[in-house]
Amino acid sequence: MKFILLLPVLFIGVGLGAQNSAIKENSGVAAGFPEPVSVYCNWAAYDELSDSIRLTEALAMRELNEILRLRRQGVRVDYYLMDAFWFEPDGAYRTWRKPDWPDGPDRWLEACKANHLKPGLWFSTNCLITGTDGELLKAAPEWANSLAPDKRRYSLFEGDYFNHLMETLQLYADKGVKLFKFDFTDFGAATEEAGKKWTAGEIVNRNQQAFLQAMKKFRHRNPDVVVIAYNGFGGNQGGTVVPFPETIDTRWRWLEIFDALYCGDPRLSDVPMMNFWRSKDLYSDHMVRQYLYNGVPLARIDNFASLLGLTGTCYHRGITAWKGTVVLSYARGGWLNSYNGSLELLSDADAAWLARVQQTWMPLQQFGHTTVWGDVPGTGHPYGYRSENTEGILFTAVNPGHIEREIDLPAETVGRILFHDSGFRPAIRNNKLLLGPEQLVVIGFGKYASGQYDLGTENDVIIPTESKRLEAGVKRIDDHSAQVSVRPPRDGNLHVFFTQCNKKGVPVRSYGGTPPDGRPLDKLLTLSARQGKKTIPIRIEYGKIIWSGLSWAAGEIAAADVNPNKPVEITCTAENGESQYFKIEVYATNFLSTN
């Protein structure tokens, strides 16, 4: 049986060619990439915030050698970004962490130069940092007269801190550093004296002005550097609720000094999904749409979604479901194409596949036109991307819902399915695409409807071949628990989706902390099932320590574990949630065939 909802395809978005032109200032500054670039960042290969894996010279050089291996398979890498905590905590960014870089950065910088890699460095704009191993960035004596009363932040318009930082950036630019990443920014910082003199709004204004003008001068002096913005420059990155707020202050013209603005560290969305990693993909899709809504062109959004590794920052994913994540990273249209983490986890065959993805999308990024279509991802309705040039179209579709969907396709010509999740077989019929629940599909038209552009399947995401919602009234048990009772199908599994919400129906996240001492989220959001006195096992994927929190639980009950003649009682409990606002849905699913 097929359950189909016919949805119109809505195309909105920003053409990359027209709106990615560099914005020029009187100073001669030109922000914005002249062409798409490929950046490797080593964050997630180590993690000193939500894990305890240190950045060392040995780790950094290992990843450089992995870049060279991937290049031999055809992968393009232009920049190597050294992420946070390369520096001595109290060395004001002028010295590198001595136990881990006994001879400083020269060996790494020279190896980058010898292999035509442009090096990049991470900087905190004006915040001190504490991680799992104590203070990772301390107050330096040179910065003392800019320190805020909380001893954790620095004013950018008072004292010597910011001038000293800008001098430091120039020292590294003179040594050949070509990319600068600004993170951990707080424009509300001020000294005690300034806090008495200026209002909070005036302090923010003065900090932003100081930063903007200094960066214009820096870019004018170093026209070949790339500058990217991370935390602190706008965007509501905590979750995927709608409608969108206006949270990126375009008055400060960040696009005049930054080549790209990132849209959030990857985390789980607020749309419950059986596949953990697809929910993470949806988060990045939602954030891209939010930044686009706030006026940032697609080409200038760094979606920062491809984190591979065994650390807490990427939920110890390894390379599970990595292909779908990479496909979406390119389909989103950003010109900063990043790869983060442990490249040694990729085989040579994986590298060759990645090279094909680059060769397929990067010319379209530069010479084509990318738009978004469909609904806002956080609504749970189908959405995607359309990249096209005069020769053809790459059409990317995602169905975040729990039943099949049918959508209109953008061209009358015959399309070819190039990539999809395994399990459910997506089908093109009468210029419409049928997608399974939670499924990602890429279709090529024109030139791209050729077998040379086939990218295979995502074998780590298996989509049900059938899914039907079951009627299930929610019965409140106590303040933190609710229950549903359903009759199981005779030949299929049950999928359970539980979301804790507030009284307005907005999903609310629970937080269990970070590794190694944090609590797995299945201890805060629990699912259990019974038939009579028999406990029924539930398979879950969210039982991890998730630094970014989670608002939902999802589980699968196998047909083999239940008696189809008796109802199954499913209990959902949230340690911090109120059961009167729970949302619980149950679906009968089947996996009749696989690819």
Side-chain angles (χ1 to χ4, degrees), residues 83-103:
D83 211 86
F85 314 135
W86 46 267
F87 39 81
E88 190 69 29
D90 57 358
Y93 296 118
R94 300 281 175 97
T95 57
W96 287 53
R97 196 160 62 185
K98 293 176 182 177
D100 303 308
W101 298 83
D103 300 317

Side-chain angles (χ1 to χ4, degrees), residues 255-532:
L255 293 176
E256 296 175 8
I257 58 171
F258 291 118
D259 297 282
L261 279 71
Y262 110 129
C263 61
D265 290 293
R267 62 199 74 185
L268 278 295
S269 77
D270 295 302
V271 177
M273 290 185 170
M274 279 303 304
N275 189 276
F276 184 90
W277 308 111
R278 183 52 40 77
S279 182
K280 189 197 73 65
D281 292 335
L282 188 143
Y283 170 85
S284 295
D285 288 320
H286 187 89
M287 290 300 115
V288 166
R289 192 71 68 95
Q290 179 198 153
Y291 273 60
L292 181 62
Y293 169 82
N294 274 265
V296 183
L298 288 176
R300 307 287 289 278
I301 303 172
D302 171 10
N303 66 78
F304 191 61
S306 296
L307 276 71
L308 312 176
L310 302 173
T311 55
T313 193
C314 59
Y315 318 108
H316 306 94
R317 79 179 295 171
I319 58 171
T320 304
W322 76 285
K323 288 185 175 181
T325 294
V326 166
V327 163
L328 283 168
S329 292
Y330 276 90
R332 293 175 185 126
W335 281 27
L336 193 156
N337 299 284
S338 65
Y339 317 93
N340 309 272
S342 302
L343 298 180
E344 65 273 15
L345 299 177
L346 299 177
S347 68
D348 287 352
D350 293 333
W353 180 88
L354 176 56
R356 290 202 307 276
V357 173
Q358 289 184 323
Q359 293 156 12
T360 298
W361 258 283
M362 290 184 80
L364 264 177
Q365 289 177 348
Q366 183 170 7
F367 301 112
H369 179 83
T370 294
T371 53
V372 299
W373 67 265
D375 216 327
V376 173
T379 64
H381 298 145
Y383 67 88
Y385 307 91
R386 169 177 170 162
S387 296
E388 61 185 306
N389 57 21
T390 57
E391 298 180 295
I393 299 171
L394 286 177
F395 184 80
T396 303
V398 180
N399 172 21
H402 306 309
I403 60 173
E404 300 168 13
R405 305 288 189 185
E406 190 173 71
I407 61 171
D408 294 326
L409 291 174
E412 296 298 330
T413 59
V414 176
R416 179 187 181 92
I417 295 174
L418 305 176
F419 180 83
H420 63 92
D421 299 310
S422 60
F424 184 93
R425 293 183 182 274
I428 300 174
R429 298 171 186 155
N430 300 320
N431 208 44
K432 299 182 187 298
L433 171 66
L434 182 66
L435 299 109
E438 302 184 18
Q439 189 161 44
L440 163 65
V441 177
V442 179
I443 300 172
F445 296 92
K447 166 186 173 180
Y448 299 101
S450 165
Q452 74 179 86
Y453 294 100
D454 284 348
L455 294 171
T457 59
E458 176 53 87
N459 294 323
D460 291 332
V461 180
I462 303 174
I463 306 299
T465 51
E466 290 184 336
S467 181
K468 177 183 179 181
R469 185 173 176 179
L470 301 178
E471 292 298 326
V474 179
K475 175 185 176 183
R476 199 173 171 207
I477 304 300
D478 55 38
D479 289 346
H480 302 288
S481 299
Q483 190 177 83
V484 295
S485 179
V486 295
R487 180 74 63 174
R490 290 197 166 273
D491 58 355
N493 300 339
L494 292 175
H495 283 182
V496 183
F497 301 97
F498 155 46
T499 306
Q500 64 173 352
C501 303
N502 63 21
K503 62 183 179 181
K504 295 182 179 180
V506 177
V508 177
R509 293 185 178 232
S510 290
Y511 296 88
T514 61
D517 301 322
R519 297 175 65 192
L521 264 294
D522 62 326
K523 305 302 181 185
L524 298 173
L525 301 166
T526 62
L527 299 174
S528 61
R530 300 183 67 85
Q531 276 190 317

Side-chain angles (χ1 to χ4, degrees), residues 131-210:
T132 58
D133 196 27
E135 289 187 293
L136 299 173
L137 178 61
K138 300 179 181 180
E142 299 92 331
W143 303 342
N145 59 358
S146 300
L147 195 60
D150 62 7
K151 310 298 183 184
R152 306 302 305 165
R153 300 172 298 156
Y154 288 97
S155 172
L156 301 179
F157 66 93
E158 311 165 83
D160 297 322
Y161 167 75
F162 195 42
N163 286 336
H164 190 270
L165 176 62
M166 296 308 299
E167 291 171 0
T168 303
L169 298 185
Q170 190 59 55
L171 290 173
Y172 283 111
D174 293 342
K175 289 177 71 70
V177 173
K178 298 298 182 184
L179 187 153
F180 294 86
K181 171 180 172 179
F182 286 92
D183 203 352
F184 297 162
T185 305
D186 188 340
F187 289 119
T191 64
E192 184 175 3
E193 180 180 350
K196 297 175 181 178
K197 184 176 181 181
W198 308 104
T199 67
E202 289 169 332
I203 288 169
V204 169
N205 181 72
R206 288 173 175 271
N207 276 317
Q208 290 180 329
Q209 280 283 12

